[in-house]
Amino acid sequence: MSATETPARPYPAHDPATYRRLPASSRPVDPARVDSLLAAEWERFAASTPASGEHNTRAARTLPLGVTSSFQHWDPYPVSVASARGAWLTDVDGRRMLDLSMGFGAMLVGHLNPTVVEHVQRALTDTGTLFVTPSPQATEMSERFCERFGLDMIRFTNSGTESLMYAIRAARAYTGRKAVVKIEGGYHGGYDALQVSVKPALEDIGPAEAPVPEVPFDVEAGTVHVVPYNDLDRLRAILTEHGREIAVMVVEPVVENLSIVVPDAGYLAGVRDLCDEHGVVLLFDEVKTGLTAGYAGAAQRLGVKPDLITLAKSIGGGLPLAAFGGRREVMEVVVDGRMAHFGTYNGNPLVMAAAKAVDEICTPEALAATEAINVRALSAIDDVIDTFELPAHTVGLGVKGCVTWSTAPVRTYRDYKATDFAMAELSWLWGVNRNILTPPGLDEQWLVSLAHTDEDMNLLVEHVRELAEALRA
């Protein structure tokens, strides 16, 4: 074996409906070189974003951390954006930046999409924004989404957190049980039961084969069992021992808060079978997948149907819209009063107008064309990884993609924790300093919207190539 050859390992195959390509060979990067480049890039960041720094100082006087959601913050301060259109942002320093964050999918159709703007303006000027009564607009969208996503019934909410909270309560009302199973490292919004083991420290969570739940002090979680993603044996053991107490298993069909972690072939079907065997409601959190995974979401793409599904982000065209729905038998808990679901703004005409626009725009053809742009970008980055023998690989689902700084596939949270976080930080910051914005943190994941072009994505490919050249200089 040559010094640069990547050893073959018997890793399980990934689901064929997802994208993952491992390098045939790789060489380590020099940690000292990475540290040197990081220091230079942080200096460049401070020099090129003074107005963002000043804005953060002002904002922090009244907004904790100077942001409206804690994930927006990074040290020393985040980029502040003044406006956006299509696939591009303008920050307060006047820099025009390619947006590859796109609200984690909320801006799937692009910023200020003309069709969305037209529908929303009509609601603002002709229809009204809030009735707090039944409306034809909400009924039409319930019919459209039930047909698209293969649901019997659906209820609208205003955020992914809301949808997850009510979906879990529906599962509890339906089963007469209380306990929850979730994936180690998985994020599902702010509901207490789902704050358990969200990116916990390894020293707090026991052995990989039998994780110990990590519960933040401020959380009243109830009984939550934590299992590794892609591990049917551990799930089977938990359900065998505690199945009579467990109401629901919550899982992102493709985990998207750890960059992108795709399921092993057959994993989700195995989860479905185990939940059926033990009478546990299977809940797919598609807040981040949804339409970004394809015309009818990840469940349809991956061929496994859950009992309940939560949706948000991509269905709202940039407006605050979410939903939960699924099998009629489970959703009937709202009908017969076993669970009450309330919300003044639920399904209001303004967001229903945006949702209708998104449903019209996101045709199978439009989403397939956008996914093709993403796949071409992934393939081009694969070529860069091969050319420079980078210790990295690409992963994708639908219109989303990422570079993971590891030569081994990331199948679990523990795998994710073993990736090269210094390289992840450098790759992200390198892009920010070259006017390419991906989500902050160490979970770099891009989104190709309907407004992006091959030319836009070539900018990302070139940024990866320039970084590779700098690493190997």
Side-chain angles (χ1 to χ4, degrees):
M1 180 185 298
S2 69
T4 61
E5 187 177 344
T6 299
R9 290 280 299 277
Y11 298 116
H14 61 94
D15 190 293
T18 65
Y19 186 107
R20 186 176 71 204
R21 181 183 179 276
L22 301 175
S25 64
S26 66
R27 289 182 288 137
V29 294
D30 180 2
R33 180 67 174 160
V34 174
D35 290 344
S36 174
L37 289 171
L38 264 174
E41 290 301 313
W42 278 118
E43 289 182 7
R44 177 172 174 168
F45 175 80
S48 61
T49 58
S52 280
E54 293 167 4
H55 179 258
N56 184 253
T57 298
R58 171 194 168 192
R61 297 189 186 106
T62 50
L63 291 166
L65 299 175
V67 297
T68 55
S69 179
S70 291
F71 80 83
Q72 297 172 3
H73 177 76
W74 71 74
D75 288 326
Y77 53 82
V79 171
S80 293
V81 172
S83 63
R85 183 178 295 275
W88 293 82
L89 309 167
T90 302
D91 72 6
V92 294
D93 285 280
R95 299 187 308 162
R96 190 165 179 261
M97 305 187 73
L98 180 65
D99 188 1
L100 286 176
S101 176
M102 301 302 287
F104 299 109
M107 304 313 305
L108 171 63
V109 298
H111 296 284
L112 295 178
N113 179 282
T115 304
V116 173
V117 170
E118 178 187 354
H119 280 60
V120 170
Q121 283 181 336
R122 191 179 306 129
L124 284 168
T125 59
D126 298 338
T127 305
T129 62
L130 184 64
F131 306 151
V132 200
T133 66
S135 72
Q137 292 91 336
T139 299
E140 179 184 5
M141 288 317 304
S142 71
E143 293 167 345
R144 282 174 174 255
F145 281 147
C146 281
E147 181 178 359
R148 180 186 278 256
F149 292 105
L151 310 174
D152 294 332
M153 303 183 85
I154 192 171
R155 271 290 181 96
F156 296 112
T157 68
N158 304 285
S159 71
T161 292
E162 253 188 274
S163 288
L164 267 297
M165 176 180 73
Y166 277 110
I168 287 174
R169 289 177 58 187
R172 286 170 169 164
Y174 173 70
T175 61
R177 306 169 181 175
K178 288 291 183 75
V180 173
V181 177
K182 76 175 292 284
I183 297 297
E184 183 176 58
Y187 174 75
H188 305 278
Y191 183 45
D192 277 37
L194 299 177
Q195 289 294 292
V196 175
S197 292
V198 177
K199 293 186 180 174
L202 291 180
E203 60 267 24
D204 297 334
I205 55 175
E209 64 275 11
V212 175
E214 185 269 335
V215 184
F217 175 78
D218 59 314
V219 165
E220 289 287 350
T223 302
V224 179
H225 302 280
V226 175
V227 298
Y229 189 66
N230 278 322
D231 188 338
L232 290 174
D233 289 339
R234 184 58 185 166
L235 176 60
R236 182 179 295 106
I238 288 292
L239 292 179
T240 299
E241 184 175 357
H242 303 286
R244 293 181 181 179
E245 309 157 12
I246 294 171
V248 60
M249 178 174 181
V250 184
V251 58
E252 280 188 291
V254 174
V255 180
E256 290 195 355
N257 76 299
L258 307 176
S259 207
I260 301 175
V261 183
V262 297
D264 293 346
Y267 169 68
L268 292 174
V271 171
R272 174 74 278 177
D273 290 344
L274 286 170
C275 287
D276 288 342
E277 181 181 342
H278 293 275
V280 172
V281 171
L282 177 57
L283 167 56
F284 276 3
D285 174 2
E286 292 220 41
V287 167
K288 289 189 71 176
T289 52
L291 297 178
T292 71
Y295 177 80
Q300 185 274 337
R301 183 185 188 112
L302 300 169
V304 176
K305 189 168 185 175
D307 301 300
L308 291 173
I309 189 173
T310 54
L311 298 163
K313 299 188 190 300
S314 61
I315 63 173
L319 275 70
L321 171 63
F324 68 98
R327 289 200 294 123
R328 183 176 303 276
E329 184 179 2
V330 181
M331 293 296 290
E332 286 280 355
V333 300
V334 182
V335 178
D336 62 25
R338 281 175 285 169
M339 185 199 83
H341 171 233
F342 300 111
T344 298
Y345 296 99
N346 293 348
N348 67 77
L350 190 66
V351 299
M352 292 295 94
K356 185 175 181 180
V358 169
D359 191 54
E360 292 174 355
I361 297 164
C362 289
T363 63
E365 295 77 16
L367 291 172
T370 302
E371 180 173 342
I373 293 174
N374 186 42
V375 171
R376 285 192 287 272
L378 284 163
S379 179
I381 292 171
D382 289 334
D383 290 341
V384 175
I385 290 172
D386 290 347
T387 298
F388 292 90
E389 294 184 295
L390 298 178
H393 67 275
T394 55
V395 190
L397 177 74
V399 300
K400 290 188 177 183
C402 70
V403 174
T404 296
W405 290 94
S406 168
T407 57
V410 173
R411 300 176 50 251
T412 68
Y413 175 67
R414 311 292 174 117
D415 294 340
Y416 159 80
K417 290 290 285 184
T419 60
D420 189 334
F421 289 120
M423 269 309 312
E425 180 183 354
L426 176 59
S427 178
W428 165 76
L429 183 59
W430 189 275
V432 171
N433 283 341
R434 287 149 187 82
N435 300 336
I436 298 174
L437 187 65
T438 52
L442 306 177
D443 314 318
E444 185 174 338
Q445 175 193 119
W446 66 77
L447 180 133
V448 183
S449 78
L450 272 62
H452 285 79
T453 64
D454 281 307
E455 290 71 24
D456 294 331
M457 297 308 295
N458 286 340
L459 298 174
L460 174 68
V461 176
E462 285 309 305
H463 128 62
V464 176
R465 182 178 299 278
E466 290 171 9
L467 174 59
E469 291 171 348
L471 287 168
R472 297 306 190 197

